[in-house]
Amino acid sequence: MNDLYESIKLGMEEAIAHSKGDQGQAQVYRPSEVNVKAVRQKTGLSQDRFAATFGISVATLRHWERGDRKPHGPALVLLNAADNDPVGLLKILKGVNG
């Protein structure tokens, strides 16, 4: 139990230090920015179909493609996956979406 406490304590100390700007041992994953229109074109999907497949609104997709807004968080991670392997990701999503 003492080892568990020390591990949690260390993690919290690193998180607090990171929140104050100290990079220390913390590893932060920042997905790359993507050209959303180019990613969509790689998939061969229309805006309507792409939005439906990826669970976003067409309006949001259009904002991303125009550059009015930028995707972030899980959407950006998913778009990076689509950029890296559009065919593979579409196969996965087809299995999820039936």
Side-chain angles (χ1 to χ4, degrees), residues 39 42-44 54 81-92:
V39 171
K42 277 186 178 181
T43 67
F54 287 83
D83 192 28
N84 290 326
D85 186 4
V87 173
L89 185 59
L90 288 174
K91 283 182 184 177
I92 292 168

Side-chain angles (χ1 to χ4, degrees), residues 30-51:
R30 288 188 174 81
S32 303
E33 289 189 18
V34 296
N35 178 326
V36 178
K37 186 173 185 175
V39 171
R40 180 180 59 79
Q41 289 173 335
K42 277 186 178 181
T43 67
L45 299 174
S46 67
Q47 285 184 333
D48 289 336
R49 192 72 196 127
F50 187 91

Side-chain angles (χ1 to χ4, degrees), residues 55-69:
I56 57 173
S57 73
V58 176
T60 295
L61 176 60
R62 288 181 180 148
H63 282 292
W64 289 347
E65 287 192 0
R66 283 193 310 257
D68 302 344
R69 298 184 198 154

